[in-house]
């Protein structure tokens, strides 16, 4: 990926493309994406935050 292109913008554009591709479809992929839109945000936070914090803490410790 181009270093001057923001990663957050790339992820946003990918999400918009996935939404546009599955609009009005009833396939397995579209149902899977729709099911993720109804997931509890706290579940995602409590699942991924400890993993991300641990990874960053290890990166800081390895820099010493």
């Amino acid at each position: 990926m181009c270093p001057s292109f923001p990663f957050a913008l790339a992820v946003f554009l990918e999400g918009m493309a996935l939404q546009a591709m599955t609009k009005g479809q009833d396939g397995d992929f579209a149902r899977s994406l729709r099911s993720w839109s109804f997931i509890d945000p706290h579940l995602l936070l409590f699942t991924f935050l400890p993993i991300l914090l641990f990874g960053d803490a290890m990166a800081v410790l390895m820099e010493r």
Side-chain angles (χ1 to χ4, degrees), residues 35-54:
S35 69
W36 274 99
S37 67
F38 296 112
I39 196 166
D40 183 21
H42 292 102
L43 176 65
L44 289 176
L45 178 72
F46 294 143
T47 302
F48 292 114
L49 186 63
I51 298 167
L52 292 171
L53 288 175
F54 180 77

Side-chain angles (χ1 to χ4, degrees), residues 18 21-22 25-34:
L18 285 172
M21 285 183 349
T22 60
Q25 294 181 1
D26 286 333
D28 292 335
F29 185 66
R31 277 191 303 241
S32 175
L33 284 179
R34 262 185 265 136

